[in-house]
Amino acid sequence: MLPWKRVLRPLAALLLTAAVAVVPAATTAQAAETAAAPSSGWNDYSCKPSAAHPRPVVLVHGTFANSVDNWLGLAPYLKDRGYCVFSLDYGQLPNVPFFHALGPIDKSAEQLSAHVDKVLTATGAAEADLVGHSQGGMMPRYYLKFLGGAGKVNALVGIAPNNHGTTLSGLANLLPYFPGAEDLLSAATPALAQQVVGSDFMTKLNAGGDTVPGVRYTVIATKYDEVVTPWRTQFLTGPDVKNVLIQDLCAVDISEHALIGITDRIAFHEVANALDPAHARPTTCASVFS
């Protein structure tokens, strides 16, 4: 990734923080309605899981994303392969349209819990599989660990998940030098502050181990990740964990943090393998055509 892009992404986060107080409230309802609109065949609550794919898949978007824009690539990919696919919006802030996953992560996990219950009731399935990008690959771990989700979830697949906190390529380390900056992040966009390495939230989430019994975990990372840094901190430790570096499967894959979750069909192929390990096929550079 070009150096100026590394600067623009965290700068955009700070600008959005400042914008929270000034976005017109009147646009919020319209934006929420748009984000919840039917999306290329997924979020079909009449869908019944097949014998081949007996669990519905719930897609959990990342920070600043929503239930539609994060999944324009992966949702149809899984739908075309016979899965019942659902997505949700979570972590909404007042007066902030389109950009979600900014509210307190523990509250977002409660929204996920309610959504999984809704999906299980509609489909008649006993368990769901979760696939999340960025914060969406990490936040479900709170649901699994503290909200009883482990009894309702078979597998969690995290694409570039912020599992142990991020330095945002060093930006987070600058916060102590700017009095009030960390308080602003906590007050205006709690999820950003909670994702910084060493935060109280991260300490609680990872205390006693990364995983809970009964759930299979897969982490798919890219060494070009410029948001969750260092990228190795995305990996989990524990039983039933598979950690994957996408460049080990295709050395020429240069996807960074956003693209690995939004457009990378090599990563999508590995997601499909994680959802159905009994029928997994080797993931290679040619998987982009599969």
Short mmCIF file of all heavy atoms in Angstrom, two decimals, residues 87-123:
data_model
loop_
_atom_site.label_atom_id
_atom_site.label_comp_id
_atom_site.label_asym_id
_atom_site.label_seq_id
_atom_site.Cartn_x
_atom_site.Cartn_y
_atom_site.Cartn_z
N SER A 87 -26.98 -10.80 7.25
CA SER A 87 -26.06 -9.79 7.77
C SER A 87 -26.85 -8.82 8.65
O SER A 87 -28.07 -8.73 8.55
CB SER A 87 -25.36 -9.03 6.64
OG SER A 87 -26.31 -8.34 5.83
N LEU A 88 -26.13 -8.11 9.50
CA LEU A 88 -26.79 -7.17 10.41
C LEU A 88 -26.00 -5.88 10.46
O LEU A 88 -24.80 -5.84 10.16
CB LEU A 88 -26.90 -7.75 11.82
CG LEU A 88 -25.63 -7.76 12.69
CD1 LEU A 88 -25.99 -7.78 14.16
CD2 LEU A 88 -24.71 -8.93 12.34
N ASP A 89 -26.69 -4.81 10.86
CA ASP A 89 -26.04 -3.56 11.25
C ASP A 89 -25.92 -3.52 12.76
O ASP A 89 -26.84 -3.92 13.48
CB ASP A 89 -26.86 -2.35 10.78
CG ASP A 89 -26.78 -2.13 9.29
OD1 ASP A 89 -25.66 -2.06 8.76
OD2 ASP A 89 -27.84 -2.04 8.64
N TYR A 90 -24.81 -3.03 13.26
CA TYR A 90 -24.63 -2.94 14.70
C TYR A 90 -23.72 -1.76 15.03
O TYR A 90 -23.04 -1.21 14.16
CB TYR A 90 -24.02 -4.24 15.26
CG TYR A 90 -22.57 -4.45 14.87
CD1 TYR A 90 -21.53 -3.96 15.66
CD2 TYR A 90 -22.23 -5.13 13.71
CE1 TYR A 90 -20.20 -4.14 15.30
CE2 TYR A 90 -20.91 -5.32 13.34
CZ TYR A 90 -19.90 -4.83 14.14
OH TYR A 90 -18.59 -4.99 13.77
N GLY A 91 -23.71 -1.38 16.30
CA GLY A 91 -22.82 -0.32 16.75
C GLY A 91 -23.13 1.04 16.15
O GLY A 91 -22.24 1.86 15.98
N GLN A 92 -24.42 1.30 15.86
CA GLN A 92 -24.79 2.59 15.28
C GLN A 92 -24.67 3.70 16.32
O GLN A 92 -24.97 3.51 17.50
CB GLN A 92 -26.22 2.54 14.76
CG GLN A 92 -26.47 1.48 13.70
CD GLN A 92 -27.00 0.17 14.27
OE1 GLN A 92 -26.62 -0.22 15.36
NE2 GLN A 92 -27.87 -0.50 13.51
N LEU A 93 -24.23 4.87 15.87
CA LEU A 93 -24.20 6.06 16.72
C LEU A 93 -25.28 7.04 16.27
O LEU A 93 -25.59 7.11 15.07
CB LEU A 93 -22.83 6.76 16.63
CG LEU A 93 -21.65 6.04 17.28
CD1 LEU A 93 -20.38 6.86 17.08
CD2 LEU A 93 -21.89 5.80 18.76
N PRO A 94 -25.87 7.79 17.19
CA PRO A 94 -26.88 8.78 16.81
C PRO A 94 -26.33 9.77 15.79
O PRO A 94 -25.19 10.24 15.92
CB PRO A 94 -27.21 9.49 18.14
CG PRO A 94 -26.82 8.51 19.20
CD PRO A 94 -25.63 7.77 18.66
N ASN A 95 -27.11 10.03 14.78
CA ASN A 95 -26.79 11.06 13.78
C ASN A 95 -25.63 10.67 12.86
O ASN A 95 -25.08 11.54 12.16
CB ASN A 95 -26.47 12.41 14.45
CG ASN A 95 -27.57 12.87 15.35
OD1 ASN A 95 -28.75 12.55 15.14
ND2 ASN A 95 -27.22 13.63 16.38
N VAL A 96 -25.23 9.40 12.85
CA VAL A 96 -24.16 8.96 11.96
C VAL A 96 -24.72 7.90 11.02
O VAL A 96 -24.86 6.74 11.41
CB VAL A 96 -22.96 8.40 12.74
CG1 VAL A 96 -21.86 7.96 11.77
CG2 VAL A 96 -22.41 9.44 13.71
N PRO A 97 -25.07 8.28 9.79
CA PRO A 97 -25.61 7.30 8.85
C PRO A 97 -24.51 6.50 8.17
O PRO A 97 -23.38 6.94 8.06
CB PRO A 97 -26.33 8.19 7.82
CG PRO A 97 -25.54 9.45 7.82
CD PRO A 97 -25.05 9.64 9.25
N PHE A 98 -24.88 5.29 7.73
CA PHE A 98 -24.02 4.44 6.90
C PHE A 98 -22.82 3.86 7.64
O PHE A 98 -22.46 2.71 7.45
CB PHE A 98 -23.53 5.17 5.65
CG PHE A 98 -24.62 5.72 4.79
CD1 PHE A 98 -24.79 7.09 4.66
CD2 PHE A 98 -25.49 4.88 4.12
CE1 PHE A 98 -25.79 7.60 3.87
CE2 PHE A 98 -26.51 5.38 3.33
CZ PHE A 98 -26.67 6.75 3.20
N PHE A 99 -22.12 4.66 8.44
CA PHE A 99 -20.89 4.22 9.11
C PHE A 99 -21.25 3.67 10.49
O PHE A 99 -21.61 4.41 11.40
CB PHE A 99 -19.91 5.39 9.26
CG PHE A 99 -19.53 6.02 7.96
CD1 PHE A 99 -20.05 7.25 7.58
CD2 PHE A 99 -18.66 5.39 7.09
CE1 PHE A 99 -19.71 7.85 6.38
CE2 PHE A 99 -18.31 5.97 5.88
CZ PHE A 99 -18.83 7.20 5.53
N HIS A 100 -21.10 2.34 10.65
CA HIS A 100 -21.52 1.70 11.89
C HIS A 100 -20.33 1.03 12.58
O HIS A 100 -19.19 1.26 12.22
CB HIS A 100 -22.63 0.69 11.60
CG HIS A 100 -23.84 1.29 10.96
ND1 HIS A 100 -24.33 2.54 11.29
CD2 HIS A 100 -24.66 0.81 9.99
CE1 HIS A 100 -25.41 2.80 10.58
NE2 HIS A 100 -25.63 1.77 9.77
N ALA A 101 -20.64 0.22 13.60
CA ALA A 101 -19.62 -0.45 14.42
C ALA A 101 -18.73 0.56 15.13
O ALA A 101 -17.53 0.38 15.26
CB ALA A 101 -18.78 -1.41 13.59
N LEU A 102 -19.35 1.62 15.61
CA LEU A 102 -18.61 2.67 16.34
C LEU A 102 -19.02 2.76 17.80
O LEU A 102 -18.33 3.37 18.60
CB LEU A 102 -18.84 4.02 15.66
CG LEU A 102 -18.32 4.14 14.23
CD1 LEU A 102 -18.77 5.45 13.60
CD2 LEU A 102 -16.81 4.02 14.19
N GLY A 103 -20.15 2.15 18.16
CA GLY A 103 -20.62 2.17 19.53
C GLY A 103 -19.88 1.18 20.41
O GLY A 103 -19.02 0.42 19.93
N PRO A 104 -20.19 1.15 21.70
CA PRO A 104 -19.51 0.23 22.62
C PRO A 104 -19.60 -1.22 22.14
O PRO A 104 -20.68 -1.70 21.78
CB PRO A 104 -20.27 0.42 23.93
CG PRO A 104 -20.86 1.80 23.84
CD PRO A 104 -21.21 1.98 22.39
N ILE A 105 -18.48 -1.91 22.13
CA ILE A 105 -18.43 -3.24 21.54
C ILE A 105 -19.26 -4.25 22.32
O ILE A 105 -19.86 -5.15 21.74
CB ILE A 105 -16.97 -3.71 21.39
CG1 ILE A 105 -16.20 -2.75 20.48
CG2 ILE A 105 -16.90 -5.12 20.81
CD1 ILE A 105 -14.73 -3.05 20.34
N ASP A 106 -19.33 -4.10 23.65
CA ASP A 106 -20.16 -5.03 24.41
C ASP A 106 -21.63 -4.88 24.04
O ASP A 106 -22.37 -5.88 23.98
CB ASP A 106 -19.94 -4.83 25.91
CG ASP A 106 -20.17 -3.39 26.36
OD1 ASP A 106 -19.90 -2.46 25.58
OD2 ASP A 106 -20.61 -3.19 27.50
N LYS A 107 -22.07 -3.67 23.76
CA LYS A 107 -23.45 -3.45 23.33
C LYS A 107 -23.66 -3.98 21.92
O LYS A 107 -24.75 -4.50 21.58
CB LYS A 107 -23.80 -1.96 23.39
CG LYS A 107 -23.71 -1.36 24.79
CD LYS A 107 -24.62 -2.08 25.77
CE LYS A 107 -24.56 -1.46 27.14
NZ LYS A 107 -25.40 -2.21 28.13
N SER A 108 -22.65 -3.85 21.07
CA SER A 108 -22.74 -4.43 19.73
C SER A 108 -22.89 -5.94 19.80
O SER A 108 -23.63 -6.55 19.02
CB SER A 108 -21.49 -4.07 18.92
OG SER A 108 -21.42 -2.67 18.68
N ALA A 109 -22.19 -6.56 20.75
CA ALA A 109 -22.30 -8.01 20.93
C ALA A 109 -23.72 -8.41 21.33
O ALA A 109 -24.21 -9.48 20.94
CB ALA A 109 -21.29 -8.50 21.96
N GLU A 110 -24.38 -7.55 22.09
CA GLU A 110 -25.78 -7.82 22.44
C GLU A 110 -26.67 -7.77 21.20
O GLU A 110 -27.61 -8.56 21.05
CB GLU A 110 -26.25 -6.81 23.49
CG GLU A 110 -25.58 -6.95 24.84
CD GLU A 110 -26.00 -5.88 25.82
OE1 GLU A 110 -26.90 -5.08 25.48
OE2 GLU A 110 -25.44 -5.84 26.93
N GLN A 111 -26.37 -6.83 20.28
CA GLN A 111 -27.12 -6.77 19.03
C GLN A 111 -26.90 -8.02 18.20
O GLN A 111 -27.83 -8.55 17.59
CB GLN A 111 -26.72 -5.53 18.24
CG GLN A 111 -27.14 -4.21 18.87
CD GLN A 111 -26.67 -3.03 18.04
OE1 GLN A 111 -25.56 -2.51 18.23
NE2 GLN A 111 -27.51 -2.59 17.12
N LEU A 112 -25.66 -8.50 18.18
CA LEU A 112 -25.36 -9.73 17.46
C LEU A 112 -26.12 -10.90 18.07
O LEU A 112 -26.68 -11.74 17.35
CB LEU A 112 -23.86 -10.01 17.49
CG LEU A 112 -23.42 -11.35 16.90
CD1 LEU A 112 -23.78 -11.46 15.43
CD2 LEU A 112 -21.91 -11.57 17.10
N SER A 113 -26.16 -10.97 19.39
CA SER A 113 -26.88 -12.05 20.07
C SER A 113 -28.35 -12.08 19.65
O SER A 113 -28.89 -13.15 19.31
CB SER A 113 -26.77 -11.86 21.59
OG SER A 113 -27.50 -12.85 22.27
N ALA A 114 -28.99 -10.93 19.63
CA ALA A 114 -30.39 -10.86 19.24
C ALA A 114 -30.57 -11.26 17.77
O ALA A 114 -31.55 -11.93 17.41
CB ALA A 114 -30.93 -9.45 19.47
N HIS A 115 -29.61 -10.87 16.93
CA HIS A 115 -29.72 -11.19 15.51
C HIS A 115 -29.55 -12.69 15.27
O HIS A 115 -30.28 -13.28 14.46
CB HIS A 115 -28.68 -10.41 14.71
CG HIS A 115 -28.83 -10.54 13.23
ND1 HIS A 115 -29.79 -9.90 12.51
CD2 HIS A 115 -28.13 -11.29 12.33
CE1 HIS A 115 -29.70 -10.21 11.23
NE2 HIS A 115 -28.69 -11.06 11.10
N VAL A 116 -28.60 -13.30 15.94
CA VAL A 116 -28.41 -14.75 15.80
C VAL A 116 -29.67 -15.48 16.24
O VAL A 116 -30.13 -16.42 15.56
CB VAL A 116 -27.19 -15.23 16.61
CG1 VAL A 116 -27.14 -16.76 16.65
CG2 VAL A 116 -25.90 -14.69 16.00
N ASP A 117 -30.27 -15.05 17.34
CA ASP A 117 -31.52 -15.68 17.78
C ASP A 117 -32.60 -15.55 16.71
O ASP A 117 -33.37 -16.50 16.45
CB ASP A 117 -32.00 -15.03 19.08
CG ASP A 117 -31.18 -15.44 20.29
OD1 ASP A 117 -30.37 -16.38 20.18
OD2 ASP A 117 -31.33 -14.79 21.35
N LYS A 118 -32.68 -14.38 16.09
CA LYS A 118 -33.68 -14.15 15.04
C LYS A 118 -33.44 -15.09 13.85
O LYS A 118 -34.39 -15.69 13.31
CB LYS A 118 -33.61 -12.69 14.59
CG LYS A 118 -34.55 -12.33 13.45
CD LYS A 118 -34.39 -10.86 13.06
CE LYS A 118 -35.28 -10.48 11.89
NZ LYS A 118 -35.09 -9.05 11.51
N VAL A 119 -32.18 -15.24 13.45
CA VAL A 119 -31.84 -16.09 12.32
C VAL A 119 -32.13 -17.56 12.64
O VAL A 119 -32.69 -18.30 11.81
CB VAL A 119 -30.37 -15.89 11.92
CG1 VAL A 119 -29.91 -16.97 10.95
CG2 VAL A 119 -30.17 -14.51 11.31
N LEU A 120 -31.77 -18.00 13.84
CA LEU A 120 -32.01 -19.40 14.21
C LEU A 120 -33.49 -19.70 14.27
O LEU A 120 -33.94 -20.77 13.84
CB LEU A 120 -31.34 -19.70 15.55
CG LEU A 120 -29.81 -19.67 15.58
CD1 LEU A 120 -29.29 -20.01 16.97
CD2 LEU A 120 -29.21 -20.61 14.54
N THR A 121 -34.27 -18.76 14.78
CA THR A 121 -35.71 -18.96 14.83
C THR A 121 -36.30 -19.06 13.43
O THR A 121 -37.14 -19.93 13.14
CB THR A 121 -36.38 -17.80 15.60
OG1 THR A 121 -35.91 -17.80 16.95
CG2 THR A 121 -37.88 -17.95 15.60
N ALA A 122 -35.86 -18.18 12.53
CA ALA A 122 -36.40 -18.17 11.17
C ALA A 122 -36.02 -19.41 10.38
O ALA A 122 -36.83 -19.94 9.61
CB ALA A 122 -35.94 -16.91 10.44
N THR A 123 -34.79 -19.87 10.56
CA THR A 123 -34.30 -20.99 9.74
C THR A 123 -34.56 -22.35 10.38
O THR A 123 -34.49 -23.38 9.70
CB THR A 123 -32.78 -20.85 9.51
OG1 THR A 123 -32.10 -20.85 10.77
CG2 THR A 123 -32.46 -19.56 8.75
#
